[in-house]
Amino acid sequence: MSSLVASHLLTSEELGRFFRAVRDGGRVEHEIMLKLLFFTAVRVGELVKIEVADLDLAACKIFVGQGKGSKDRSILFPQTFGLVLRAHLVVHPHQVHLFET
């Protein structure tokens, strides 16, 4: 028997509640990571490998090397999110990867 998976897009209210809950958790990096996933549809395995050198803040794009299918690609992000990424890098100036723990 086949099963159908119903797709559901979050409303702007639901999305707002989601990000408020993340923000209330107190980890700004988590909010930035999740927004990057939402804005770009980058895969989690790709997200954790993004290096600061892969960012082009002026062009609002990120180079993703050896992603799915061992292919290189560039992903775009909104200009306003570039400001968030720039602020994140100012707070973490010595990181090699965009997100480090």
Side-chain angles (χ1 to χ4, degrees):
M1 176 193 256
S2 67
S3 62
L4 297 176
V5 177
S7 63
H8 174 76
L9 295 177
L10 297 176
T11 65
S12 48
E13 180 181 312
E14 291 169 327
L15 197 56
R17 279 197 318 262
F18 173 78
F19 279 112
R20 275 191 299 281
V22 171
R23 193 173 306 117
D24 290 346
R27 295 290 308 266
V28 174
E29 293 87 1
H30 291 172
E31 183 179 359
I32 295 170
M33 282 189 270
L34 288 167
K35 284 185 176 180
L36 189 60
L37 289 168
F38 274 96
F39 291 150
T40 66
V42 68
R43 295 166 181 88
V44 173
E46 296 168 337
L47 175 76
V48 299
K49 294 177 185 175
I50 295 172
E51 295 185 2
V52 173
D54 297 331
L55 293 175
D56 183 344
L57 295 173
C60 296
K61 66 181 178 179
I62 301 170
F63 173 77
V64 177
Q66 299 295 298
K68 186 175 180 179
S70 297
K71 295 181 181 175
D72 296 342
R73 64 190 173 102
S74 290
I75 53 175
L76 302 174
F77 56 85
Q79 185 176 8
T80 54
F81 192 64
L83 299 173
V84 173
L85 291 175
R86 186 171 282 117
H88 173 72
L89 295 175
V90 167
V91 174
H92 305 283
H94 303 293
Q95 290 187 171
V96 172
H97 288 87
L98 182 57
F99 302 107
E100 295 182 2
T101 58

